[in-house]
Amino acid sequence: MRSEFIGMDVEIQSLGCGNFCGAIVDESKNTLTIRKDSREITVPKSSSEFLFTYQGESVLIHGSEIQYRPEDRIKKIR
C-alpha cells in the first residue's frame, strides 16, 4: 500500500461501477482513474475493493484503507 499505484494493473470490485480490470492512470484522495480498453473510468475508493498483483502476490485492499492523498498515503501507511 506504500508503493506508487499509477501504472499498476488492478482488478476492481466496486458497488457503483461493477467488476473489471485495468491499469491505474491517476489517483486522488477519494478516487482512482482506471484505463479499461480505450476508456478511462473514475472509481471511488470508499465503496470499492482493489485486487493488486504486487511482486507475484495478490493483495486485496479495501478502498477506505487507502483513502489518502497519494503523497500522504505513502508516508502514513506503515
Side-chain angles (χ1 to χ4, degrees), residues 5 17 41 51-52 61-63 66 69 73-75 77:
F5 288 157
C17 300
I41 302 167
L51 183 63
F52 292 94
I61 299 175
H62 298 278
I66 56 172
R69 294 182 319 163
R73 175 181 47 80
I74 291 170
K75 292 182 220 173
I77 297 175

Side-chain angles (χ1 to χ4, degrees), residues 4-70:
E4 177 66 48
F5 288 157
I6 295 175
M8 293 183 77
D9 289 326
V10 64
E11 181 178 335
I12 309 298
Q13 299 169 356
S14 173
L15 295 175
C17 300
N19 297 350
F20 61 92
C21 297
I24 298 173
V25 294
D26 194 21
E27 178 183 8
S28 70
K29 177 181 177 183
N30 296 311
T31 64
L32 289 176
T33 303
I34 312 298
R35 175 165 292 146
K36 179 184 176 198
D37 302 323
S38 61
R39 295 178 38 202
E40 289 187 0
I41 302 167
T42 302
V43 179
K45 289 180 180 178
S46 62
S47 61
S48 304
E49 293 181 332
F50 304 95
L51 183 63
F52 292 94
T53 302
Y54 183 72
Q55 296 181 348
E57 293 185 33
S58 293
V59 180
L60 181 66
I61 299 175
H62 298 278
S64 59
E65 296 174 352
I66 56 172
Q67 200 164 3
Y68 301 102
R69 294 182 319 163

